[in-house]
């Protein structure tokens, strides 16, 4: 995707306007995002700018185009600057009081400003005689109104954090609420209702109050109405990244995202939103990779887009490529801490201890009191198996930001390592409260309940994880193993066959998206453990022929494709339907007429515990079938492998004695 010099300059001007407008309203994260994108936009060459009017080369940000709003902003300039200075000094209540004093708000809300409310938020404020809700709304500019109401919301969040107990303390139930949400929600509801009643007598909306109302409604769990207002916001002003992020948080399924895409404004922001939302929904594939590459063609050094690309590799289970992409981001932006918690997760899984130590040291030097820094340091201690120290840093991250998803999930993992299952379950549940799309937290809950041998609970949580990651073999393996322990062998077989299909899907996707030849070569290698589990369940169902086929396929994994082809083992995966009916993409793409696509690489697993168990089962099966030569050969191989040697020797002696007896009978 390329832009003409004129389009490039228009985009630059739009981003400059976005930075200024968001900064004026103290939306600093959105302003930072737009400024970083602006910085990543290459400067057009001088000789390509001859046709561009010079006024566009040095754009001057004009005052509000609406004359009524412009007059109000001019009249309020002194008070606006005062309110903004209070906000910048984190005096949020004073900032709000400049334009919306408490008595005015109380009269509008129908409450007595002198009435004292319960400090714990347990009692509701009651309307008092003499305070009517019939007061007209104050006539102030939309910019000033937004700043005042936004300061109210931030003040409420601040008080909420102050009233919240210590992380994972005895009183930390997560039930403390932001009391200012009700006030802001009622005010904006009246504001929008009044504009609707009076028709076109008001200045055109700028999109920021719609964003604020949508954000408040989302916090109040009114998702459908929140989405309506946020959609209005991005249509009115598409350059506010905060509004797009709120929409992303409300989109829980790919189908919902695709349906929403038809109603989005047609501009580059919609394109960026769609790519980011797809990454957050754990999607992967050549189309998404191509979209990110197109965007990087416009913003080649964008830290945000490069991070999205790294996360795409991570979700596609291509950890080596993800590690390289994050290294690239770190080299370009060495002081940027955003998303480095994900990078530390990758280094932890890859066991890159020196790199993780360097990253922890770097984060500590830049800002040791950022949640991301605490998570990185916690991961480093986790890699050293210093689990209590790791928990300490994850708790510190949560003290700084209660919505830090990585910290809740990773703290749950550490509590599992410390055998503190109650604390692990609570950590995972809080992670799910922060983001219900976090499959790691659902999977962690399943694992913890499985440790407690509460398999029905574990199965439910595993199904939730599999629904979020329908093509992740690890999720379906967990579902299958849990069903096996519950004695539901038939359903367990279906889940484990789904796990085999999932491996093939992810490997194919990774290879086509990123051109990873090594991944494509591994595409056909199946997990011997899964094959052994399937065979064992068939054996328990007294279906010996199916069990034998899967045992042979398990054994064939030692040598890879050649062994599988020679074994002639080709059990069908046609019945590998999804156990979790609500999972997105529950139909097995690419179907399963057989396992012909499951064998194609020359490299095998070598001798493993699973293949040795399969070899022993096949040897005993051969004895029952009076195929003593095969039994003797398999028993000899077991002796060479050094697995279950005594039983293998006994089996070999019995097979040889039977063969000698058969020779004597023939004579």
């Amino acid at each position: 995707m390329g832009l003409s010099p004129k389009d490039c300059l228009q985009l630059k001007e739009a981003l400059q306007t976005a930075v200024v407008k968001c900064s004026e309203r103290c939306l600093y994260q959105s302003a930072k995002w737009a400024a970083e994108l602006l910085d990543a936009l290459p400067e057009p060459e001088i000789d390509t700018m001859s046709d561009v009017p010079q006024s566009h080369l040095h754009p001057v940000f004009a005052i509000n185009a609406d004359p009524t709003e412009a007059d109000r902003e001019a009249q309020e300039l002194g008070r606006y600057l005062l309110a903004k200075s209070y906000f910048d000094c984190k005096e949020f209540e004073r900032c709000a009081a400049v334009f919306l004093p408490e008595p005015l708000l109380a009269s509008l809300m129908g409450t007595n400003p002198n009435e004292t409310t319960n400090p714990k938020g347990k009692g509701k404020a009651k309307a008092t005689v003499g305070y009517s809700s019939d007061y007209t709304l104050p006539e102030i500019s939309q910019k000033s109104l937004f700043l005042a109401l936004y300061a109210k919301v931030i003040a409420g969040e601040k008080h909420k954090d102050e009233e919240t107990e210590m992380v994972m303390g005895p009183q930390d139930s997560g039930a403390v609420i932001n009391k200012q949400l009700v006030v802001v929600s009622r005010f904006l509801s009246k504001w929008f209702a009044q504009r609707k009643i009076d028709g076109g007598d008001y200045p055109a909306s700028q999109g920021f109050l719609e964003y604020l109302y949508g954000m408040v409604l989302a916090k109040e769990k009114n998702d459908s109405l929140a989405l309506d207002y946020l959609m209005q916001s991005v249509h009115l002003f598409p350059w506010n990244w905060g509004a797009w992020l709120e929409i992303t948080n409300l989109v829980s399924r790919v189908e919902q995202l695709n349906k929403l895409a038809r109603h989005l404004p047609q501009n580059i922001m919609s394109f960026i939103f769609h790519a980011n939302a797809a990454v957050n929904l754990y999607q992967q594939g050549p189309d998404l990779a191509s979209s990110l590459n197109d965007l990087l063609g416009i913003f080649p050094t964008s830290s945000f887009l490069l991070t999205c690309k790294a996360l795409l590799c991570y979700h596609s289970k291509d950890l080596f490529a993800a590690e390289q992409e994050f290294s690239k981001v770190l080299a370009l932006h060495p002081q940027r801490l955003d998303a480095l918690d994900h990078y530390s997760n990758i280094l932890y899984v890859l066991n890159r201890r020196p790199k993780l130590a360097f990253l922890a040291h770097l984060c500590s030097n830049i800002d040791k009191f950022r949640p991301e820094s605490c998570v990185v340091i916690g991961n480093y201690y986790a890699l050293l198996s210093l689990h209590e120290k790791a928990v300490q840093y994850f708790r510190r991250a949560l003290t700084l930001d209660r919505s830090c998803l990585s910290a809740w999930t990773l703290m749950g993992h550490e509590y599992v390592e410390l055998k503190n299952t109650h604390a692990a379950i609570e950590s995972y549940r809080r992670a799910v409260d922060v983001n219900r799309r976090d499959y790691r937290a659902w999977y962690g809950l399943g694992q913890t309940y499985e440790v407690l041998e509460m398999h029905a609970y574990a199965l439910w949580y595993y199904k939730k994880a599999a629904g979020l990651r329908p093509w992740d073999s690890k999720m379906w393996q967990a579902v299958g193993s849990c069903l096996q322990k519950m004695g539901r062998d038939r359903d367990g077989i279906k889940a484990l066959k789904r796990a085999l299909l999932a491996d093939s899907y992810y490997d194919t996707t990774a290879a086509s998206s990123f051109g990873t030849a090594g991944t494509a070569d591994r595409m056909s290698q199946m997990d011997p453990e899964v094959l052994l589990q399937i065979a064992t369940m068939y054996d328990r169902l007294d279906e010996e022929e199916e069990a034998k086929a899967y045992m042979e396929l398990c054994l064939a994994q030692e040598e890879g494709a050649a062994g599988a082809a020679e074994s002639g083992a080709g059990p069908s995966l046609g019945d590998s339907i999804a156990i979790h009916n609500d999972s997105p993409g529950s139909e097995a793409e690419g179907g399963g007429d057989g396992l012909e696509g499951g064998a194609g690489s020359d490299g095998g697993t070598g001798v493993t515990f699973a293949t040795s168990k399969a070899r022993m089962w096949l040897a005993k099966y051969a004895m029952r079938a009076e195929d003593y030569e095969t039994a003797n050969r398999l028993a000899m191989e077991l002796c060479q492998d050094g697995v279950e040697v005594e039983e293998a020797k006994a089996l070999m002696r019995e097979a040889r004695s039977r063969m000698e007896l058969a020779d004597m009978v023939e004579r």
Side-chain angles (χ1 to χ4, degrees), residues 231-363:
M231 288 291 286
Q232 290 179 42
S233 175
V234 297
H235 274 278
L236 290 165
F237 186 72
W239 303 98
N240 177 14
W241 182 242
W244 293 106
L245 278 184
E246 289 292 335
I247 295 173
T248 303
N249 294 334
L250 293 173
V251 175
S252 58
R253 299 172 71 87
V254 183
E255 295 83 358
Q256 187 183 1
L257 176 62
N258 294 334
K259 185 178 178 182
L260 203 65
R262 296 195 291 270
H263 305 289
L264 294 173
Q266 298 302 307
N267 54 39
I268 195 168
M269 291 297 288
S270 296
F271 201 60
I272 295 172
F273 157 75
H274 198 279
N276 179 60
V279 170
N280 281 322
L281 289 169
Y282 311 114
Q283 298 303 297
Q284 62 281 311
D287 291 341
L288 182 53
S290 175
S291 295
L292 285 173
N293 287 331
D294 287 344
L295 287 167
L296 283 166
I298 301 172
F299 308 101
T301 60
S302 167
S303 55
F304 171 77
L305 293 173
L306 288 168
T307 300
C308 283
K309 189 175 180 183
L311 290 174
L312 177 59
C313 298
Y314 181 31
H315 296 158
S316 300
K317 300 171 76 174
D318 194 347
L319 298 182
F320 295 102
E323 193 267 333
Q324 290 174 359
E325 292 296 334
F326 269 116
S327 295
K328 206 181 293 180
V329 176
L330 195 61
L332 283 170
H333 309 278
Q335 282 80 35
R336 183 178 186 264
L337 296 178
D338 299 351
L340 288 188
D341 50 337
H342 295 295
Y343 186 26
S344 69
N345 291 341
I346 293 166
L347 295 175
Y348 175 90
V349 174
L350 294 176
N351 200 24
R352 300 282 175 84
R353 181 176 161 182
K355 275 196 173 184
L356 188 51
F358 166 77
L359 190 65
H361 186 69
L362 177 70
C363 292

Side-chain angles (χ1 to χ4, degrees), residues 145-157:
L145 180 60
F146 176 89
L147 184 60
L149 292 174
Y150 185 54
K152 270 286 179 191
V153 173
I154 301 300
E157 290 294 320

Side-chain angles (χ1 to χ4, degrees), residues 471-523:
W471 292 109
D472 191 333
S473 62
K474 189 179 176 183
M475 305 300 124
W476 290 107
Q477 233 175 303
V479 171
S481 299
C482 202
L483 287 165
Q484 184 182 12
K485 290 172 184 174
M486 295 172 71
R488 293 169 57 182
D489 290 334
R490 190 70 65 185
D491 288 336
I493 288 168
K494 291 176 182 178
L496 291 176
K497 286 182 177 180
R498 180 67 182 267
L500 294 176
L501 284 172
D503 270 335
S504 173
Y505 171 81
Y506 263 118
D507 289 338
T508 307
T509 302
S512 61
S513 298
F514 308 107
T516 314
T519 308
D521 290 343
R522 294 193 302 271
M523 199 175 88

